[in-house]
Amino acid sequence: MNKKFISNADTSVRMFKSDLLEALSKVHFLVPVFIYLPVILICFYITWQDEISFEERFFYAVCGLITWTIVEYLMHRFVFHFVPKGRLGERIHFIIHGVHHDYPNDAKRLVMPPSVSIPLAIMFFSLFHWLVPAEGLWPLYAFFLMGYLVYDLGHYAMHHYNFKNPVFKAIKRNHMLHHYQDAEKGYGVSSALWDLVLAT
């Protein structure tokens, strides 16, 4: 994605003529917490009702977090940064992710809108339900969603807070390099793990 324009304004352009679609494209950064924290707590409740060992719960929890980091990296690199050919393709890319690169500080377009995140959450739950043993589904999905929440809230914070902690400062620096230096590197937002592994 060749960078032509970056605004430091905390708002961005109108994307849709429809007031409804425009409203659905914007979201307060705490909305994902209100949607997904109850789901995570329900998953924890079901997990503790199942008769599996602490070690098994821990294993599936770690698998859920690692799975999230992989999904985050792959979606950012191959979906968000995919630009189909033609004017329509460019328009679709702008709606999905280009607007964020042009207006990186728009406070209402820093977390994924529920109109997108809920269908994705259902899709991933269905996939895990098919692939993961029943006893592992709930801890894996809980920690997958926790990874998503850390990603969404962390992404907002990277654009609006000055961190003092050296770890958070390094994560923010990595993301700002993605925005302001080379958009074809630094696809990991909450973690640079897969950027290091895959040399991006």
Side-chain angles (χ1 to χ4, degrees):
M1 176 167 56
N2 296 324
K3 181 51 40 223
K4 299 174 184 173
F5 168 81
I6 298 177
S7 169
N8 285 318
D10 61 359
T11 58
S12 61
V13 295
R14 185 178 179 99
M15 291 201 307
F16 301 100
K17 290 179 182 177
S18 162
D19 290 338
L20 175 61
L21 289 177
E22 184 67 13
L24 289 174
S25 76
K26 297 180 178 182
V27 61
H28 189 277
F29 76 96
L30 287 177
V31 167
V33 175
F34 295 127
I35 293 172
Y36 293 105
L37 187 57
V39 177
I40 291 167
L41 293 175
I42 290 167
C43 290
F44 280 147
Y45 177 78
I46 295 170
T47 296
W48 289 107
Q49 301 306 306
D50 289 341
E51 294 184 5
I52 63 171
S53 68
F54 172 81
E55 290 79 10
E56 288 175 297
R57 288 189 184 105
F58 182 78
F59 170 76
Y60 286 114
V62 170
C63 287
L65 284 175
I66 291 172
T67 301
W68 168 255
T69 65
I70 294 168
V71 168
E72 174 190 313
Y73 177 88
L74 293 176
M75 283 189 68
H76 191 186
R77 182 174 180 183
F78 297 109
V79 178
F80 296 171
H81 280 264
F82 174 67
V83 185
K85 293 181 180 178
R87 291 191 64 164
L88 179 60
E90 289 178 8
R91 172 76 175 141
I92 291 168
H93 171 260
F94 182 77
I95 291 168
I96 292 173
H97 195 59
V99 68
H100 175 55
H101 274 265
D102 286 357
Y103 298 89
N105 295 319
D106 182 345
K108 298 289 185 173
R109 289 194 169 119
L110 282 170
V111 300
M112 197 174 291
S115 55
V116 176
S117 71
I118 291 173
L120 284 173
I122 292 168
M123 182 195 77
F124 279 108
F125 179 81
S126 301
L127 180 65
F128 298 151
H129 188 268
W130 182 54
L131 292 174
V132 178
E135 69 275 7
L137 174 63
W138 301 105
L140 185 140
Y141 194 59
F143 279 84
F144 179 83
L145 288 180
M146 284 177 66
Y148 165 69
L149 273 185
V150 167
Y151 156 79
D152 247 358
L153 296 176
H155 188 223
Y156 181 88
M158 283 175 218
H159 286 275
H160 287 280
Y161 292 100
N162 290 318
F163 295 107
K164 305 295 183 198
N165 180 289
V167 173
F168 294 137
K169 283 173 78 171
I171 292 170
K172 177 175 179 168
R173 190 176 122 272
N174 188 58
H175 190 58
M176 292 303 107
L177 288 172
H178 172 74
H179 272 283
Y180 294 99
Q181 187 171 321
D182 188 350
E184 302 304 320
K185 293 187 177 178
Y187 296 106
V189 177
S190 59
S191 165
L193 172 63
W194 299 108
D195 287 303
L196 294 171
V197 171
L198 299 171
T200 58

